[in-house]
Amino acid sequence: MSSLFKPVQIGAITAPNRAIMAPLTRGRATRDHVPTPIMVDYYRQRAGAGLIITEATGISRQGLGWPYAPGIWSDEQVVAWQPVTQAVHEAGGRIIVQLWHMGRQVHSSVTGEQPVSSSATATAGDAHTYEGKAPFETARPLATEEIPGLIDTYVTAAHNAIRAGFDGVQIHAANGYLIDQFLRDNANFRTDQYGGSIENRVRLLAEVTQAVADAIGADKVSVRLSPNGDAQGVNDSNPGPLFAHAAEVLNAIGIASLELREPGPDGTFGATEVPRQSPLIRQHFKGPLILNSDYDKQRAQADLDSGLADAISFGRPFIANPDLVERLGSDAPLNPIKGMETWYGPGEDGYTNYPALAEQRVTA
């Protein structure tokens, strides 16, 4: 059997296969960021993944600026997540929640306050708001004395995740969001202990991860990084030493897994000429390494065979194929994905109405 379909231990979780469902923003929560019943069906349908990593989920109102994205800071949100985790578990699956603070990517019309970041910077282009697109705003630098409170919001969200029935959490430190804005030198111009040197820029990631690990156990904590190239305007002039150090820090904490989003020069959802950093990171991180971006079955198996990866996360293929693992295992054709207008809501179209193989066999 291909190792893609063999179990792998990811911290406290025994994943039955190595085809992981990547985090995918879908926008089906309420305007108050409360999960809805249609999300129960969506995640249940995809329980065949070795592990589901949920869509990015806000740790606080300050940090969640995506319209109709879910949060996990309130009791109401925790209760609304419980049917999701129960449904996935009843279907034999495993699920962790991705903890999200968007930093300068939020818009005040959504959060009710000026965005915060490592420094007073703004993303080029437009933000998503309930009223449509609006220019990104200049962020307010987080004061040094505010950071312990920020870390506390991650810890509270992690405790809430366990209350909601999740098997663990993933800390979102990628894609140009808040922690990434601290990590990389074109967005972080601080002169305190969170800016300047690589060690200082990695400090927030280290402190958040250690605090969450102390709260719920390191074997239930994963991290996502995007170490190569631009991510929503966030980039670094020398990513190798930066992410090697980040990998060493995360390895010392003993996290359950590290996921890397690594687009290539021909990436279909973001592209970069900056080389993949996973070979270097593999030297410094000894736990399960999950790789992501434009994988098919053949390329996934090659990176597993080489030892570069321990698992592969698939994003858009899981949107259109709720039974992706079965399809990959039988070399069945994949459903075509519907247009981007269906990706971020609302309703079931492009969300829960993709047919599974069993349904297609019945109608064939």
Side-chain angles (χ1 to χ4, degrees):
M1 187 197 323
S2 164
S3 62
L4 183 62
F5 307 104
K6 291 182 178 179
V8 61
Q9 196 69 30
I10 301 176
I13 298 168
T14 302
N17 60 72
R18 298 169 189 242
I20 308 303
M21 180 172 161
L24 295 157
T25 297
R26 303 311 312 273
R28 263 68 175 193
T30 70
R31 190 177 177 115
D32 293 326
H33 307 297
V34 177
T36 55
I38 195 173
M39 294 169 61
V40 177
D41 296 333
Y42 171 76
Y43 284 110
R44 180 198 291 116
Q45 290 172 349
R46 289 155 179 80
L51 172 66
I52 293 172
I53 308 171
T54 70
E55 61 206 282
T57 299
I59 62 169
S60 65
R61 189 170 296 280
Q62 178 195 72
L64 183 52
W66 192 280
Y68 300 107
I72 195 160
W73 65 82
S74 73
D75 288 341
E76 183 181 11
Q77 292 163 343
V78 169
V79 170
W81 273 116
Q82 288 170 349
V84 174
T85 60
Q86 181 179 350
V88 170
H89 292 148
E90 288 176 349
R94 296 134 184 88
I95 183 169
I96 64 175
V97 62
Q98 189 186 57
L99 302 182
W100 197 24
H101 191 303
M102 296 174 66
R104 73 184 194 185
Q105 297 298 117
V106 310
H107 194 273
S108 61
S109 69
V110 180
T111 63
E113 62 178 279
Q114 183 182 5
V116 299
S117 185
S118 57
S119 303
T121 61
T123 303
D126 294 329
H128 293 272
T129 78
Y130 287 111
E131 290 72 40
K133 296 292 188 69
F136 282 109
E137 300 163 316
T138 299
R140 172 181 67 80
L142 277 165
T144 307
E145 57 268 23
E146 291 181 276
I147 290 180
L150 169 69
I151 295 169
D152 286 345
T153 64
Y154 278 95
V155 170
T156 297
H159 281 304
N160 285 347
I162 301 305
R163 289 173 54 211
F166 286 103
D167 299 303
V169 304
Q170 183 188 72
I171 296 167
H172 197 346
N175 297 19
Y177 295 117
L178 181 67
I179 294 177
D180 208 15
Q181 293 160 26
F182 273 78
L183 286 172
R184 300 208 263 179
D185 62 12
N186 85 329
N188 185 339
F189 305 106
R190 301 176 73 93
T191 57
D192 65 358
Q193 64 264 42
Y194 294 94
S197 68
I198 284 174
E199 291 76 14
N200 282 357
R201 285 183 279 128
V202 171
R203 189 183 306 276
L204 180 63
L205 169 65
E207 290 181 349
V208 167
T209 306
Q210 186 66 67
V212 173
D214 290 344
I216 66 170
D219 60 353
K220 296 182 180 67
V221 179
S222 298
V223 171
R224 186 182 228 225
L225 298 173
S226 51
N228 68 313
D230 178 277
Q232 302 192 92
V234 176
N235 210 341
D236 196 82
S237 62
N238 194 11
L242 170 65
F243 287 101
H245 180 66
E248 290 176 351
V249 167
L250 296 172
N251 187 69
I253 294 172
I255 62 172
S257 69
L258 175 59
E259 184 194 16
L260 306 179
R261 181 180 185 271
E262 295 189 296
D266 300 315
T268 60
F269 199 67
T272 180
E273 297 295 332
V274 178
R276 301 170 74 194
Q277 300 298 307
S278 48
L280 174 63
I281 289 171
R282 175 82 283 181
Q283 298 174 36
H284 297 275
F285 183 77
K286 304 307 179 183
L289 189 63
I290 303 170
L291 301 186
N292 168 264
S293 284
D294 286 317
Y295 274 93
D296 58 17
K297 180 180 176 179
Q298 182 177 7
R299 181 171 167 240
Q301 191 58 60
D303 278 356
L304 292 172
D305 288 344
S306 72
L308 181 62
D310 298 288
I312 304 295
S313 69
F314 297 87
R316 283 164 290 153
F318 263 115
I319 291 179
N321 300 276
D323 53 353
L324 179 65
V325 176
E326 180 183 356
R327 289 175 185 267
L328 293 175
S330 62
D331 293 317
L334 302 186
N335 290 323
I337 191 168
K338 297 185 179 184
M340 190 180 288
E341 69 276 4
T342 71
W343 293 8
Y344 304 120
E348 69 172 16
D349 188 36
Y351 189 62
T352 55
N353 65 349
Y354 284 105
L357 273 175
E359 298 169 287
Q360 291 175 324
R361 292 187 187 110
V362 169
T363 58

